[in-house]
Amino acid sequence: MHTGSDGSSPWTRITQFSPAISFGNENIAGRGGMESNARAFIIQLLIDSGIPGYGHRYNILDPQWTHVGCVMTNFKSMDWCIQNFGVKKK
């Protein structure tokens, strides 16, 4: 699960920083000791290998999203890519 260090859920974080969003989802991918750039992370999430189901792939390709936010960071000697997807409130 994508629970934050403060116990928050992806949905809580998305609406806290983007109150105009009515619904959303999140992808997180980590890489250590490998090529770590945006392209490599997107490919990793599209292939979704070693993860039960294809949730990351479905998130990236879901046509309902009107907004996406991405960040890359390093934490505990690993590179991380976080993607948040959302739909604007009507």
Side-chain angles (χ1 to χ4, degrees):
M1 201 56 156
H2 300 169
T3 304
S5 59
D6 61 356
S8 64
S9 71
W11 176 242
T12 302
R13 292 187 298 274
I14 290 167
T15 56
Q16 177 183 357
F17 294 102
S18 299
I21 300 298
S22 66
F23 173 75
N25 215 328
E26 181 176 71
N27 283 344
I28 298 177
R31 297 172 73 87
M34 297 184 252
E35 179 184 13
S36 295
N37 58 48
R39 181 179 182 275
F41 277 110
I42 296 298
I43 290 170
Q44 175 185 343
L45 290 166
L46 281 171
I47 294 172
D48 226 1
S49 179
I51 305 294
Y54 295 104
H56 297 111
R57 181 185 304 178
Y58 294 150
N59 274 343
I60 292 172
L61 300 175
D62 192 331
Q64 75 175 324
W65 305 132
T66 57
H67 292 71
V68 63
C70 299
V71 66
M72 288 185 61
T73 189
N74 186 281
F75 179 71
K76 294 189 178 180
S77 300
M78 281 189 66
D79 291 321
W80 294 90
C81 177
I82 298 105
Q83 302 170 322
N84 286 300
F85 305 92
V87 175
K88 187 176 179 178
K89 287 182 182 174
K90 294 182 181 190

